[in-house]
Every structure is written in C-alpha cells, then in structure tokens.
C-alpha cells in the first residue's frame, strides 16, 4: 500500500492554481489551457461555526464538462484541502465527491471537523 500511495500523484496538473473567491464563497481552480488562463471549476463552501470553532462546510465540487475525467476535480480538492491544512482551518463536507476523496486520501481527515 505504501508504494502505491507514493507513486500516485494527487494533482497531475502542476500549473493549476487555486483562487478563493470569498465574495462568491467558492474555491476556484484555474489552469493554462492552450496558452490561455482558463476557469476549470470550483468547490462551493459556507463558513460555519461548529463547537465554537470556525469550519468550512464544503458543499459541492463542480468541474466544467469539457475538463471532466481529466483529474481536475482531484487537483481542485487536493489544492483546497492542502490550503486549509496550511492555514489551520477545519472543514466538513456534504459533497459526495469530497467524501469519496477522503476515503482514498484519509490523511486529510485529521483536519475534518466532526459534527455532533
């Protein structure tokens, strides 16, 4: 299992960039496609308070159909969860894609807020 985990890349899009748009409550993924900076998709979120702590509720992951099945959703969620971890922010999810991602990459669960 350890060998498989190391050889697998979570983000196969090294030029992809995460941009958090607080006004629209979404974390956006942008990448350079055919030489042009292109919007790929987003994770919608809400800032909640759970147990007196601020928590990001991750609601849905949306990727433009033309970029589907290319690893962009995984890149988006990886960049977002890495950013939240770096900033010491906790999250919870009501998104089936993110829940499946957490089954595959359980190391992020330590940043997950547990609902009462």
């Amino acid at each position: 299992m350890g060998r498989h985990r190391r050889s697998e890349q979570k983000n196969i899009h090294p030029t992809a960039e995460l941009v958090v748009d607080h006004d629209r409550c979404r974390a956006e993924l942008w990448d350079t496609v055919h030489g042009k900076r292109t919007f790929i998709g987003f994770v919608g979120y809400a800032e909640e308070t759970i147990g007196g702590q601020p928590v990001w509720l991750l609601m849905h992951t949306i990727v433009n159909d033309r970029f589907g099945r290319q690893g962009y959703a995984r890149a988006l969620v990886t960049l977002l969860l890495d950013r939240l971890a770096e900033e010491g922010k906790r999250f919870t999810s009501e998104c089936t894609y993110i829940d499946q991602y957490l089954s595959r990459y359980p190391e992020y669960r330590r940043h997950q807020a547990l609902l009462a």
Side-chain angles (χ1 to χ4, degrees), residues 19-112:
V19 176
V20 177
D21 183 338
H22 294 287
D23 292 336
R24 296 174 83 179
C25 291
R26 65 189 209 175
E28 302 174 345
L29 187 70
W30 293 78
D31 202 358
T32 301
V33 179
H34 304 300
K36 184 177 177 209
R37 189 168 187 260
T38 304
F39 175 76
I40 304 296
F42 69 95
V43 171
Y45 70 89
E47 294 185 73
E48 304 280 332
T49 301
I50 297 173
Q53 299 294 316
V55 173
W56 278 38
L57 170 61
L58 307 179
M59 297 185 292
H60 44 255
T61 302
I62 307 290
V63 171
N64 184 309
D65 286 342
R66 88 179 226 236
F67 301 112
R69 315 259 347 130
Q70 297 176 38
Y72 276 113
R74 188 173 69 228
L76 170 55
V77 172
T78 298
L79 291 171
L80 175 57
L81 295 183
D82 284 348
R83 165 106 35 109
L84 292 175
E86 287 168 16
E87 295 176 357
K89 294 181 179 169
R90 302 190 61 72
F91 73 91
T92 191
S93 168
E94 59 182 35
C95 170
T96 55
Y97 180 83
I98 292 173
D99 293 342
Q100 291 168 356
Y101 179 97
L102 291 170
S103 293
R104 190 171 178 185
Y105 304 106
E107 61 268 25
Y108 291 101
R109 289 193 182 277
R110 71 180 184 267
H111 304 289
Q112 192 172 17

